[in-house]
Amino acid sequence: MYGKLHSACLYGIDGVLIEVETDLSNGLPQTSIIGLPDSAIREAVERVRAAIKNCGYQYPLQRITINLAPADLRKEGSSFDLAIAIGLLMTSGQLVLPPQERTLVVGELALDGSIRSVPGILSMVDLAKRQGFTSVLLPLDNVEEASLIRGIQVFGIRHLQDIAPVNPDQPASLVGIPNNSNAGPVVLKNYAHLAAPITDKTQGVADRRVGQTSLCPDDYSDVLGQHHVKRALMIAAAGMHNILLVGPPGTGKTMLIKRLRTILPPLSEDEALEVTKVLSAAGKLKEAPQGLIADRPFRSPHHTISTSGLIGGGGIPKPGEVSLAHRGILFLDELPEFQRQVLEVLRQPLEDRTVTISRARAAFTFPAQFMLACSMNPCPCGYLSAHSEEQRCICSPARVASYRAKISGPLLDRIDLQVEVPPPGEWRKSAASPSSEEMQAKVIHAHQIQATRYAQSSVRWNSQLSGTLLRRTIHLPQEAEQLLEQTLQTLNLSMRAHDRIIKMAQTIADLDHEGEIVTAHVAEAIQYRQLDLNLF
């Protein structure tokens, strides 16, 4: 006796289709699961056995072989429990599913037969839709998340008994359960008795108004002074450039960066789906509101974070902070307090915008398209650049050099804007202080200019330009080119810094509504490289 169902598991953040094959043969009663299962899948035998018995069915007393195909792909998690249980009931003749339905079955079983939610359901349902499945049978707790994928029927069940049709003539305790050993198989003609498909939850993602931020009500109009820092933050948001704020304690570095997402454009529907899939794969979607994630992520890990926590890792790798910040902001407060080896692993994702983690059997790739925002003090005591006798720096030059050496030159070279944040010069709110809504409107306009310019390529923002596309797209006037070459020779900057200054100058031109770069744009971009200029 042979049966086959389709289930799915996570591979990185993507869903992978798995065939759950069940074979019953004569021999001593035993159950074997093959196909490179992990310990959670091997333990499924006991969960399924108890659930089947506690729901009134009979667990087959035969030699049972369960194969998870493809057999050469390592599998983990508890998402196969429901498919294994239904497969056993089908193969033993206790249950018949409608043959015309091509259904994906996903869910974890409790010992009493109730169905528990599983992580990564969004990626699995998206895969089912692309593979031509007509419906998905999954835990009721996952229905809201699964219904974000349009074009496929989603049915949620609370209990293993829910797959049987309701018969009002039977007692409640025996609903849908064979009441004696002579009862025939339960035949499911359709899924009409199950939970109805949930309506589409994606509506409204693209309808966010300028300045509307549901998760962060703070506004730049509340920040006293610091107009040049707000200008730098607006440039960073307009081109998705990395930024570092340097200044003594209490000048508002953290406060300024935490308001940065209030001026970023809302996620498009495609971006929202990407971000939601990453959170789903990481098992963090329950922390978010219902529906697709509409606000750009803002991740702020503690400085004690490990390399695996930042980049991702594990026996079967899970997304790290750089992937959880995909399409958003990764904020590293007090940058030199992070371990140097942890910071160094950021160099590759900052360039490639993906993270690849290799293991003996496979390599996993996670998206990591994020804006790096950092803050730091100019020295260990924090008052190297303070202009006050009461706050005089007590650090020796050697101690300052050791403090700054925690940030390597290659990493610093990848940070486009390095901006000083002095103590505020204003102590009351100014009417001229721009609000987040006004700044966001300018940023959105700059993003629209870039979208039109790069419509025929995969590039979205100026910060993504490189190589031939950079040379073909951006042209400097002769005077600006001479200024940039002189700066490179004087400061001994790298070619990476050269390209980043050009891209930043193009973003400034887009913000100023000018089509071409002029010398003033290059000069402003150069002055944002303040650590290269040794101004601290």
Side-chain angles (χ1 to χ4, degrees), residues 251-321:
T251 57
K253 302 184 297 295
T254 301
M255 177 180 62
L256 285 161
I257 291 181
K258 284 187 175 180
R259 284 165 165 75
L260 181 56
R261 64 176 173 182
T262 66
I263 65 175
L264 287 173
L267 293 167
S268 66
E269 188 169 333
D270 290 340
E271 290 175 333
L273 183 58
E274 288 180 24
V275 172
T276 308
K277 287 173 70 173
V278 173
L279 290 177
S280 175
K284 298 182 180 295
L285 199 56
K286 291 183 179 179
E287 303 173 7
Q290 293 181 355
L292 291 180
I293 303 301
D295 294 281
R296 293 190 180 272
F298 185 93
R299 304 295 299 185
S300 181
H302 193 261
H303 61 260
T304 56
I305 191 172
S306 65
T307 300
S308 297
L310 187 63
I311 295 298
I316 296 182
K318 296 294 184 182
E321 290 293 332

Side-chain angles (χ1 to χ4, degrees), residues 63-110:
R63 181 182 179 88
I64 302 172
T65 303
I66 300 168
N67 180 43
L68 306 179
D72 60 344
L73 179 69
R74 183 167 293 276
K75 306 158 191 77
E76 71 160 359
S78 56
S79 60
F80 305 111
D81 289 7
L82 184 58
I84 292 173
I86 295 177
L88 286 174
L89 295 177
M90 289 173 53
T91 309
S92 60
Q94 302 178 68
L95 185 68
V96 177
L97 292 182
Q100 72 275 12
E101 294 281 352
R102 190 160 187 247
T103 304
L104 188 76
V105 182
V106 179
E108 176 185 336
L109 278 174

Side-chain angles (χ1 to χ4, degrees), residues 170-192:
Q170 292 178 327
S173 61
L174 297 178
V175 169
I177 303 174
N179 54 13
N180 58 66
S181 58
N182 297 323
V186 176
V187 180
L188 299 185
K189 296 182 180 180
N190 55 60
Y191 294 117

